[in-house]
Coordinates of all heavy atoms in Angstrom, one line a residue:
L50 N 75.0 96.5 96.8 CA 75.5 97.6 97.5 C 75.0 98.9 97.0 O 75.3 100.0 97.6 CB 77.1 97.6 97.4 CG 77.8 96.5 98.1 CD1 79.3 96.5 97.7 CD2 77.8 96.7 99.6
G51 N 74.4 98.9 95.8 CA 73.9 100.1 95.2 C 74.9 100.8 94.3 O 74.8 101.9 94.0
E52 N 75.9 100.0 93.9 CA 77.0 100.4 93.0 C 77.6 101.7 93.5 O 77.9 102.7 92.7 CB 76.5 100.6 91.5 CG 76.1 99.2 90.9 CD 75.3 99.3 89.6 OE1 74.5 100.2 89.6 OE2 75.5 98.5 88.8
K53 N 77.9 101.7 94.8 CA 78.5 102.9 95.4 C 79.4 102.5 96.5 O 79.3 101.3 97.0 CB 77.5 103.9 95.8 CG 76.6 103.4 96.9 CD 75.7 104.5 97.5 CE 75.1 104.1 98.8 NZ 73.8 104.0 98.9
T54 N 80.3 103.4 96.9 CA 81.1 103.1 98.1 C 80.4 103.3 99.4 O 80.0 104.5 99.6 CB 82.4 104.0 98.0 OG1 83.0 103.8 96.8 CG2 83.4 103.7 99.2
I55 N 80.2 102.3 100.1 CA 79.4 102.5 101.4 C 80.4 102.9 102.5 O 81.6 102.7 102.3 CB 78.6 101.2 101.8 CG1 79.5 100.0 102.0 CG2 77.6 100.9 100.7 CD1 78.8 98.8 102.6
K56 N 79.9 103.4 103.6 CA 80.8 103.9 104.6 C 81.8 102.9 105.2 O 82.9 103.2 105.5 CB 80.1 104.8 105.6 CG 79.4 104.0 106.7 CD 78.9 105.0 107.8 CE 78.4 104.3 109.0 NZ 77.2 103.5 108.9
Q57 N 81.3 101.6 105.3 CA 82.2 100.6 105.8 C 83.4 100.4 104.8 O 84.5 100.1 105.3 CB 81.4 99.3 106.0 CG 80.3 99.3 107.0 CD 79.0 99.9 106.6 OE1 78.9 100.4 105.5 NE2 78.0 99.9 107.4
A58 N 83.1 100.5 103.5 CA 84.2 100.3 102.6 C 85.2 101.5 102.7 O 86.4 101.3 102.7 CB 83.6 100.3 101.2
E59 N 84.6 102.7 102.9 CA 85.5 103.9 103.0 C 86.4 103.7 104.3 O 87.6 104.1 104.3 CB 84.6 105.1 103.1 CG 85.4 106.4 102.9 CD 84.6 107.5 102.4 OE1 83.5 107.7 103.0 OE2 85.0 108.2 101.5
R60 N 85.8 103.2 105.3 CA 86.6 103.0 106.6 C 87.8 102.0 106.3 O 88.9 102.3 106.7 CB 85.7 102.4 107.6 CG 86.2 102.5 109.1 CD 85.2 102.1 110.1 NE 84.0 102.9 110.1 CZ 82.7 102.4 110.2 NH1 82.5 101.1 110.4 NH2 81.7 103.3 110.2
A61 N 87.5 101.0 105.5 CA 88.5 100.0 105.2 C 89.5 100.6 104.3 O 90.7 100.3 104.4 CB 87.9 98.7 104.6
E62 N 89.1 101.5 103.4 CA 90.0 102.1 102.5 C 91.0 103.0 103.2 O 92.2 103.1 102.9 CB 89.2 102.9 101.4 CG 88.7 101.9 100.3 CD 87.4 102.4 99.6 OE1 86.9 103.5 99.9 OE2 86.9 101.6 98.8
E63 N 90.5 103.7 104.2 CA 91.4 104.6 105.0 C 92.4 103.7 105.8 O 93.6 104.0 105.9 CB 90.6 105.5 106.0 CG 91.4 106.6 106.6 CD 90.6 107.5 107.4 OE1 89.5 107.2 107.9 OE2 91.1 108.7 107.6
A64 N 91.9 102.6 106.4 CA 92.8 101.7 107.1 C 93.8 101.1 106.2 O 95.0 101.0 106.5 CB 92.0 100.6 107.8
A65 N 93.4 100.8 105.0 CA 94.3 100.2 104.0 C 95.4 101.2 103.7 O 96.6 100.8 103.7 CB 93.6 99.9 102.7
A66 N 95.1 102.5 103.5 CA 96.1 103.5 103.3 C 97.1 103.6 104.4 O 98.3 103.7 104.2 CB 95.4 104.8 103.0
A67 N 96.5 103.5 105.6 CA 97.4 103.5 106.8 C 98.4 102.3 106.8 O 99.6 102.5 107.0 CB 96.6 103.5 108.1
F68 N 97.9 101.1 106.6 CA 98.7 100.0 106.6 C 99.8 100.1 105.5 O 101.0 99.7 105.7 CB 97.9 98.7 106.4 CG 97.4 98.1 107.6 CD1 96.0 98.3 108.0 CD2 98.2 97.3 108.5 CE1 95.5 97.7 109.2 CE2 97.7 96.8 109.7 CZ 96.3 97.0 110.0
L69 N 99.4 100.6 104.3 CA 100.3 100.7 103.2 C 101.4 101.7 103.5 O 102.6 101.5 103.1 CB 99.6 101.0 101.9 CG 98.7 99.9 101.3 CD1 97.8 100.4 100.3 CD2 99.6 98.8 100.7
L70 N 101.1 102.8 104.2 CA 102.1 103.8 104.5 C 103.0 103.3 105.6 O 104.2 103.7 105.7 CB 101.4 105.1 104.9 CG 100.8 105.9 103.8 CD1 99.9 107.0 104.3 CD2 101.9 106.4 102.8
K71 N 102.5 102.5 106.5 CA 103.3 102.0 107.6 C 104.3 100.8 107.1 O 105.3 100.6 107.7 CB 102.4 101.4 108.7 CG 103.2 101.1 110.0 CD 102.3 100.4 111.0 CE 103.2 99.7 112.0 NZ 102.9 98.2 112.0
A72 N 103.9 100.2 106.0 CA 104.7 99.0 105.6 C 106.1 99.4 105.2 O 106.4 100.5 104.7 CB 104.0 98.4 104.4
E73 N 107.0 98.4 105.3 CA 108.4 98.6 104.9 C 108.6 98.1 103.4 O 109.3 98.7 102.7 CB 109.3 97.8 105.8 CG 109.6 98.7 107.0 CD 110.5 98.0 108.0 OE1 111.2 97.1 107.7 OE2 110.4 98.5 109.2
N74 N 107.9 97.1 103.1 CA 108.0 96.6 101.7 C 106.6 96.3 101.2 O 106.2 95.1 101.0 CB 108.9 95.4 101.6 CG 109.2 95.0 100.1 OD1 109.0 95.8 99.2 ND2 109.6 93.8 99.9
P75 N 105.8 97.3 100.9 CA 104.4 97.0 100.4 C 104.4 96.6 98.9 O 105.2 97.2 98.1 CB 103.7 98.4 100.6 CG 104.8 99.4 100.6 CD 106.0 98.7 101.0
V76 N 103.6 95.7 98.6 CA 103.5 95.2 97.2 C 102.1 95.2 96.7 O 101.2 94.7 97.5 CB 104.2 93.8 97.0 CG1 104.0 93.3 95.6 CG2 105.7 93.9 97.3
I77 N 101.8 95.7 95.6 CA 100.5 95.6 95.0 C 100.5 94.4 94.0 O 101.3 94.4 93.0 CB 100.1 96.9 94.3 CG1 100.2 98.1 95.2 CG2 98.6 96.8 93.7 CD1 99.9 99.4 94.6
S78 N 99.6 93.4 94.2 CA 99.6 92.3 93.4 C 98.5 92.5 92.3 O 97.3 92.8 92.7 CB 99.2 91.0 94.2 OG 99.1 89.9 93.4
V79 N 98.9 92.4 91.1 CA 97.9 92.8 90.0 C 97.7 91.6 89.1 O 98.6 90.9 88.7 CB 98.5 94.0 89.1 CG1 97.7 94.2 87.9 CG2 98.6 95.2 90.0
N80 N 96.4 91.4 88.8 CA 96.0 90.3 87.8 C 95.4 90.9 86.6 O 95.3 92.2 86.5 CB 95.1 89.3 88.5 CG 93.8 89.9 89.0 OD1 93.4 91.0 88.6 ND2 93.1 89.1 89.8
G81 N 94.9 90.1 85.7 CA 94.4 90.6 84.4 C 93.2 91.6 84.6 O 93.2 92.7 84.0
N82 N 92.2 91.2 85.4 CA 91.0 92.1 85.6 C 91.4 93.4 86.2 O 91.0 94.5 85.7 CB 90.0 91.4 86.5 CG 89.2 90.3 85.8 OD1 89.8 89.5 85.2 ND2 87.9 90.3 86.0
T83 N 92.3 93.4 87.2 CA 92.7 94.6 87.9 C 93.4 95.5 86.9 O 93.2 96.7 86.9 CB 93.5 94.3 89.1 OG1 92.8 93.4 89.9 CG2 93.9 95.5 89.9
A84 N 94.3 94.9 86.1 CA 95.0 95.7 85.1 C 94.1 96.3 84.1 O 94.2 97.5 83.8 CB 96.1 94.9 84.5
A85 N 93.2 95.5 83.6 CA 92.2 96.0 82.6 C 91.4 97.2 83.1 O 91.1 98.2 82.4 CB 91.3 94.9 82.1
L86 N 91.0 97.1 84.4 CA 90.0 98.0 84.9 C 90.7 99.3 85.5 O 90.1 100.3 85.6 CB 89.1 97.4 86.0 CG 88.1 96.3 85.4 CD1 87.4 95.6 86.6 CD2 87.1 96.9 84.5
T87 N 91.9 99.1 86.0 CA 92.5 100.2 86.9 C 94.0 100.5 86.6 O 94.7 101.0 87.5 CB 92.4 99.8 88.4 OG1 93.3 98.7 88.6 CG2 91.0 99.5 88.8
A88 N 94.5 100.1 85.4 CA 96.0 100.2 85.2 C 96.5 101.6 85.6 O 97.5 101.7 86.4 CB 96.3 99.9 83.8
E89 N 95.8 102.6 85.1 CA 96.4 104.0 85.4 C 96.3 104.3 86.9 O 97.3 104.8 87.5 CB 95.5 105.0 84.6 CG 96.1 106.4 84.7 CD 95.3 107.4 84.0 OE1 94.2 107.1 83.4 OE2 95.7 108.6 84.0
S90 N 95.2 104.0 87.5 CA 95.1 104.4 89.0 C 96.0 103.5 89.9 O 96.5 104.0 90.9 CB 93.7 104.5 89.5 OG 92.9 103.5 88.9
I91 N 96.2 102.3 89.5 CA 97.1 101.4 90.3 C 98.6 102.0 90.2 O 99.3 102.0 91.2 CB 97.1 99.9 89.7 CG1 95.9 99.2 90.2 CG2 98.4 99.2 90.1 CD1 95.9 98.6 91.6
V92 N 99.0 102.4 89.0 CA 100.3 103.0 88.9 C 100.4 104.3 89.7 O 101.4 104.4 90.5 CB 100.6 103.3 87.4 CG1 101.9 104.1 87.3 CG2 100.8 102.0 86.6
I93 N 99.4 105.1 89.7 CA 99.4 106.3 90.5 C 99.5 106.0 92.0 O 100.3 106.5 92.7 CB 98.2 107.2 90.2 CG1 98.3 107.7 88.8 CG2 98.1 108.4 91.2 CD1 97.0 108.4 88.3
L94 N 98.7 105.0 92.4 CA 98.8 104.6 93.8 C 100.1 104.1 94.2 O 100.7 104.4 95.3 CB 97.7 103.5 94.1 CG 97.7 102.8 95.5 CD1 97.4 103.9 96.6 CD2 96.7 101.7 95.6
S95 N 100.7 103.2 93.3 CA 102.0 102.6 93.7 C 103.1 103.7 93.8 O 104.0 103.6 94.7 CB 102.4 101.6 92.6 OG 102.9 102.3 91.5
K96 N 103.0 104.8 93.1 CA 104.0 105.8 93.1 C 103.8 106.7 94.4 O 104.7 107.2 95.0 CB 104.0 106.7 91.9 CG 104.5 105.9 90.7 CD 104.7 106.8 89.5 CE 105.4 105.9 88.4 NZ 105.5 106.5 87.2
R97 N 102.5 106.8 94.7 CA 102.2 107.7 95.9 C 102.6 107.1 97.2 O 103.0 107.7 98.1 CB 100.7 108.1 95.9 CG 100.5 109.3 96.6 CD 99.2 110.0 96.3 NE 99.3 110.9 95.2 CZ 98.3 111.5 94.7 NH1 97.1 111.2 95.0 NH2 98.5 112.4 93.7
I98 N 102.5 105.7 97.3 CA 102.8 105.1 98.6 C 104.3 105.3 99.0 O 104.5 105.8 100.1 CB 102.4 103.6 98.6 CG1 100.9 103.5 98.4 CG2 102.8 102.9 99.9 CD1 100.4 102.1 98.1
P99 N 105.4 104.9 98.4 CA 105.5 104.1 97.2 C 105.5 102.6 97.5 O 105.9 102.2 98.5 CB 106.9 104.5 96.6 CG 107.6 104.9 97.9 CD 106.7 105.4 98.9
A100 N 105.0 101.8 96.5 CA 104.9 100.4 96.6 C 105.3 99.7 95.3 O 105.1 100.4 94.2 CB 103.5 99.9 96.9
K101 N 105.8 98.5 95.3 CA 106.1 97.8 94.1 C 104.9 97.2 93.5 O 103.9 97.0 94.3 CB 107.1 96.7 94.4 CG 108.5 97.2 94.8 CD 109.3 96.1 95.4 CE 110.6 96.7 96.0 NZ 111.1 95.8 97.0
I102 N 104.9 96.9 92.2 CA 103.8 96.2 91.6 C 104.3 94.9 91.1 O 105.3 94.8 90.5 CB 103.2 97.0 90.4 CG1 102.6 98.4 90.8 CG2 102.1 96.2 89.7 CD1 102.0 99.2 89.7
E103 N 103.5 93.8 91.4 CA 103.9 92.5 90.9 C 102.7 91.9 90.2 O 101.6 91.8 90.7 CB 104.4 91.6 92.0 CG 104.8 90.2 91.4 CD 105.7 89.4 92.4 OE1 106.5 90.1 93.1 OE2 105.7 88.2 92.3
V104 N 102.9 91.4 89.0 CA 101.9 90.7 88.2 C 101.9 89.3 88.7 O 102.9 88.6 88.8 CB 102.1 90.7 86.7 CG1 101.0 90.0 86.0 CG2 102.3 92.2 86.2
N105 N 100.7 88.8 89.2 CA 100.6 87.5 89.8 C 99.2 86.9 89.3 O 98.2 87.5 89.5 CB 100.6 87.6 91.3 CG 100.8 86.3 92.0 OD1 99.8 85.6 92.1 ND2 102.0 85.9 92.3

Side-chain angles (χ1 to χ4, degrees):
L50 291 167
E52 292 166 325
K53 62 170 198 242
T54 302
I55 63 172
K56 79 170 189 295
Q57 293 82 356
E59 195 156 45
R60 197 173 297 143
E62 282 152 0
E63 192 175 24
F68 273 102
L69 288 164
L70 286 170
K71 191 190 157 238
E73 276 176 23
N74 188 17
V76 174
I77 305 175
S78 177
V79 172
N80 61 16
N82 283 46
T83 304
L86 294 173
T87 67
E89 188 182 1
S90 35
I91 281 279
V92 169
I93 294 172
L94 173 63
S95 76
K96 289 189 174 174
R97 202 161 268 173
I98 298 169
K101 293 168 190 155
I102 297 180
E103 179 160 333
V104 181
N105 191 279

